[in-house]
């Protein structure tokens, strides 16, 4: 358990925006180095040893405009020993280097050799590389609409540890349509990355070596079925506060936690105005009292502090009616409305935001029924699978380039999973509940209700969707614009690593 840490005493850090090393024909070139370093994450904690991009935690933010390309040389300068316990019993990891990395830009439309394929890992200085080809300089075309994306490590079998060690950062694509809306901008637009971590007394990161209830002969270290830590950080500080002016702010929030999801609300009983989701702006602004944020999901919200001059507003994590209201985990960060209003707030809170054509009108070529399944490995540990297949099984999902498909995620496990698909942004069609007990008895899907429309804030572009237990969640996507090998997986990183991740291949039918 972490030492007792005082809340709301450290200022929220503003994350540096990365400057390009040089401009290219149609964009910018960056070099980013993964490094080990120490940083104070709270006033009362000794410095914490971390891994981060350019020695920062979270990594620096990359900003670009739609249509401008970004190339990044992501260099691995990490030491040869991991700072967290690595289970080498999974994925035949005993035969490959312990420290390896590969970067994925989550939510981006990217060619496969720049997508951070889990087996395209490499070691320090590209000395050793995984079985899948990866470019040394990644290219992000940024043809997609404006959105908050995020980059993070994706190396096979240790993604949970590399990300927990600190390898995550944000990436913003802007476009003219969004600018024309005159949303709060510049110092009034603040990206927030929410993460959970546990600390030892000496300030070092704590990540369990084995599950708590270990009785038998598990490998040591052994992967956990899930891990929710006991302390919440925003932009790399534990329970920080931010001084704000009495006006509107735009917060672009990503949940970069391994397992933990958040139920965000404001203790001032004021709403959030949600304007965007994973893939950018929604059609219309939503006034919403609470927002659920599963791992990897993003929300774009406007909060209006104009009626709270001199006051404090806490961003809470609602733990439910039975929770102790003073529970540490019930708090995310605080806003102190103590700054004077510098100038009149002329930013807008528009009702209409963007056009989102429905994919339902497309010609749907394939419907895939994909089960989210729980099983056990040879040690009796939970082994979660997608459609009963392991990572190593042959590729079964092969959408044609440009085809529109419906993926029905049939969750027969006892809990929800945030399912993420690379390359594309999808739309959520519906969630339909079924009788899980009946299914477990005879394998029949008996619906217990009609399909439910997605929640209002699920109706924009998404790349990660919650597939609740005992429901079929249907998503629709057009598989374009690139062919090749990508992955889809549960974004609970402990699940992704073992073994809730599968490859898929987009094929060009003209080439087969
Ligand atoms: Cu954010 Cu494949 O992941
Ligand atoms: Cu992704
Ligand atoms: Cu999962």
């Amino acid at each position: 358990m972490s030492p007792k840490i005082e809340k709301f005493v450290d200022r929220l850090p503003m994350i540096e925006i990365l400057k390009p090393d040089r401009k290219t024909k149609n964009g910018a070139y960056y070099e980013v180095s993964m490094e080990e370093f120490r940083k104070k994450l709270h006033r009362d904690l000794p410095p914490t040893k971390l891994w981060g991009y350019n020695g920062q935690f979270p990594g620096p933010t990359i900003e670009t405009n739609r249509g401008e390309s970004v190339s990044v040389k992501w260099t691995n300068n990490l030491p040869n020993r991991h700072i967290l316990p690595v289970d080498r019993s999974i994925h035949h990891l005993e035969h490959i280097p312990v420290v390896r990395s590969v970067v994925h830009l989550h939510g981006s439309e990217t060619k496969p050799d720049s997508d951070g394929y889990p087996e395209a890992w490499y070691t320090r200085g590209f000395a050793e590389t995984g079985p899948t080809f990866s470019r040394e300089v990644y290219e992000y075309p940024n043809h997609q609409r404006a959105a908050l994306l995020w980059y993070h490590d994706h190396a096979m079998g240790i993604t949970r540890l590399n990300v927990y060690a600190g390898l995550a950062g944000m990436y913003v694509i802007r476009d003219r349509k969004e600018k024309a809306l005159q949303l709060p901008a510049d110092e009034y637009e603040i990206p927030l990355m929410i993460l959970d971590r546990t600390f030892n007394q000496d300030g070092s990161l704590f990540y369990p070596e084995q599950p708590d209830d270990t009785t038998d002969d598990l490998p040591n270290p052994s992967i956990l079925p899930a891990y929710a830590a006991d302390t919440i950080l925003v932009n790399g500080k534990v329970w920080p506060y931010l001084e704000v002016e009495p006006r509107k702010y735009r917060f672009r929030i990503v949940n970069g936690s391994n397992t933990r999801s958040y139920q965000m609300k404001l203790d001032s009983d004021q709403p959030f105005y949600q304007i965007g989701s994973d893939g950018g702006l929604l059609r219309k602004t939503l006034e919403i009292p609470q927002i659920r944020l599963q791992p990897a999901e993003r929300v774009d919200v406007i909060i209006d502090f104009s009626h709270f001059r001199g006051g404090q507003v806490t961003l809470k994590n609602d733990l439910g009616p039975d929770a102790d209201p003073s529970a540490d985990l019930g708090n995310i960060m605080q806003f102190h409305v103590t700054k004077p209003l510098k100038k009149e707030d002329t930013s807008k809170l528009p009702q209409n935001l963007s056009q989102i054509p429905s994919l339902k009108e497309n010609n749907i070529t394939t419907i895939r029924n994909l089960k989210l399944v729980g099983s056990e490995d040879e040690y009796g540990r939970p082994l979660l699978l997608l459609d009963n297949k392991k990572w190593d099984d042959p590729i079964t999902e092969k959408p044609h380039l440009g085809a529109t498909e419906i993926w029905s995620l049939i969750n027969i496990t006892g809990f929800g999973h945030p399912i993420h698909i690379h390359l594309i942004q999808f739309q959520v069609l519906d969630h339909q509940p079924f009788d899980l007990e009946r299914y477990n008895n005879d394998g029949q899907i008996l619906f217990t209700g009609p399909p439910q429309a997605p929640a209002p804030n699920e109706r924009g572009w998404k790349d990660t969707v919650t597939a609740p237990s005992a429901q079929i969640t249907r998503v629709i996507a057009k598989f374009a614009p690139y062919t090749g090998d990508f992955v889809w997986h549960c974004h609970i990183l402990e699940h992704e690593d073992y073994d809730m991740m599968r490859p898929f291949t987009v094929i060009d039918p003209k080439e087969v």
Side-chain angles (χ1 to χ4, degrees), residues 181-229:
L181 293 173
Q182 295 175 271
L183 301 165
D186 306 315
E187 61 184 298
Y188 306 110
E189 178 193 344
I190 301 176
L192 303 174
M193 180 179 280
I194 307 178
L195 300 166
D196 64 339
R197 296 290 183 269
T198 304
F199 298 97
N200 296 309
Q201 295 294 331
D202 66 358
S204 58
L205 289 175
F206 171 81
Y207 189 96
E209 300 209 347
Q210 290 189 316
D212 274 347
D213 50 359
T214 300
T215 45
D216 30 21
D217 304 317
L218 289 191
N220 190 11
S222 170
I223 188 166
L224 277 74
Y227 183 59

Side-chain angles (χ1 to χ4, degrees), residues 328-361:
D328 290 341
L329 288 162
N331 293 286
I332 299 172
M333 66 173 287
Q334 204 165 56
F335 304 100
H336 296 171
V337 195
T338 46
K339 283 183 159 180
L341 189 63
K342 235 192 260 172
K343 51 179 192 292
E344 192 198 342
D345 180 5
T346 54
S347 68
K348 301 261 158 54
L349 179 50
Q351 203 33 248
N352 294 312
L353 298 165
S354 77
Q355 305 285 341
I356 299 181
S358 168
L359 294 179
K360 272 193 275 195
E361 314 308 320

Side-chain angles (χ1 to χ4, degrees), residues 104 106 152 154 420 422 489 491:
H104 169 59
H106 181 123
H152 60 77
H154 217 302
H420 169 48
H422 284 214
H489 57 88
H491 220 289

